[in-house]
Amino acid sequence: EAGVAQSPRYKIIEKRQSVAFWCNPISGHATLYWYQQILGQGPKLLIQFQNNGVVDDSQLPKDRFSAERLKGVDSTLKIQPAKLEDSAVYLCASSLRSTARSSYNEQFFGPGTRLTVL
Amino acid sequence: SQKIEQNSEALNIQEGKTATLTCNYTNYSPAYLQWYRQDPGRGPVFLLLIRENEKEKRKERLKVTFDTTLKQSLFHITASQPADSATYLCALALYSGGYNKLIFGAGTRLAVHP
């Protein structure tokens, strides 16, 4: 089965510019996640979708970050305007479901987009 | 405050030995805990899951223990190989508002030397 696809793989922009990342999850996966991973740290959840609805965006800097999941499949994450501290790898992941406390929730990650803000 | 702590320093071991990685947490009540492997330039890959009511899980050369009283998980790789060299992330699954979400530790880098 095809994995999670992300593009672009690398992006370099100047601060205050805008950037967008794209993610195509594994077919049939209802839950989609965007994570930010700063060098030397673990992934930090930015936003979680269940189908095309947002179920958690508590750590998304909403003044500059936005995300959408069209028709419950592909997703885009946008940063506008970018700051130096946004330099990180942005990981997209998907899973079959995340409901119920005891439900199995293996996440499948894409290769990530490395963003450098100068 | 809520914290997840993994050994911040790299773990260096000789091939054939057992690697033991630690994950400690405070002020969380996870439904389950997962371990992921991450290679440079790649996304994390799921390895094992252990639920809150389980003490130990095994998969081939991997073993995970989970002590909810100590708030600690140990991850063991037996008969380690140079190919096991990577960063290993622990992740707590927190259940809130009808959904599970993962909180990741910073990871421990393992280097297995021939």
Side-chain angles (χ1 to χ4, degrees), chain A residues 58-103:
Chain A
S58 56
Q59 297 198 88
L60 187 74
K62 298 179 187 63
D63 58 334
R64 298 184 300 107
F65 286 63
S66 64
E68 60 179 4
R69 189 179 185 194
L70 302 174
K71 300 180 181 178
V73 182
D74 292 8
S75 178
T76 55
L77 176 69
K78 297 179 182 177
I79 308 175
Q80 181 180 10
K83 292 185 175 181
L84 296 176
E85 58 261 36
D86 298 332
S87 293
V89 174
Y90 290 85
L91 295 162
C92 179
S94 68
S95 68
L96 279 171
R97 63 191 180 280
S98 70
T99 57
R101 181 180 171 85
S102 61
S103 69

Side-chain angles (χ1 to χ4, degrees), chain B residues 20-21 23 33 35 48 50-51 54-58 62-68 72-76:
Chain B
T20 298
L21 286 68
C23 177
L33 186 148
W35 284 87
L48 276 172
I50 187 164
R51 301 184 193 283
E54 296 174 321
K55 296 293 186 185
E56 182 179 299
K57 287 286 278 291
R58 292 174 185 262
L62 308 180
K63 184 178 86 171
V64 173
T65 62
F66 192 13
D67 189 325
T68 55
Q72 180 182 76
S73 175
L74 299 179
F75 178 80
H76 307 272

Side-chain angles (χ1 to χ4, degrees), chain A residues 9 33 35 37 40-43 45 48 50 55-56 58 91 98-107 109-111 114, chain B residues 29-32 34 36 38 41-46 49 51-52 89 95 98-107:
Chain A
R9 291 296 313 277
Y33 316 79
Y35 290 89
Q37 187 173 25
Q41 299 182 18
L45 180 67
Q48 179 172 335
Q50 183 77 12
V55 299
D56 191 313
S58 56
L91 295 162
S98 70
T99 57
R101 181 180 171 85
S102 61
S103 69
Y104 182 67
N105 189 27
E106 174 185 350
Q107 295 187 16
F109 284 82
R114 181 176 298 278
Chain B
S29 295
Y32 53 85
Q34 297 182 349
Y36 286 78
Q38 187 171 26
R42 295 178 176 245
V45 174
F46 171 80
L49 171 150
R51 301 184 193 283
E52 59 185 331
L89 301 162
Y95 184 71
Y99 298 94
N100 283 309
K101 71 176 184 182
L102 293 184
I103 307 297
F104 282 86

Side-chain angles (χ1 to χ4, degrees), chain A residues 25-60:
Chain A
I26 292 173
S27 177
H29 280 193
T31 311
L32 185 146
Y33 316 79
W34 282 102
Y35 290 89
Q36 178 193 61
Q37 187 173 25
I38 293 171
L39 188 64
Q41 299 182 18
K44 183 180 85 171
L45 180 67
L46 293 176
I47 189 166
Q48 179 172 335
F49 292 93
Q50 183 77 12
N51 297 307
N52 60 349
V54 175
V55 299
D56 191 313
D57 63 357
S58 56
Q59 297 198 88
L60 187 74

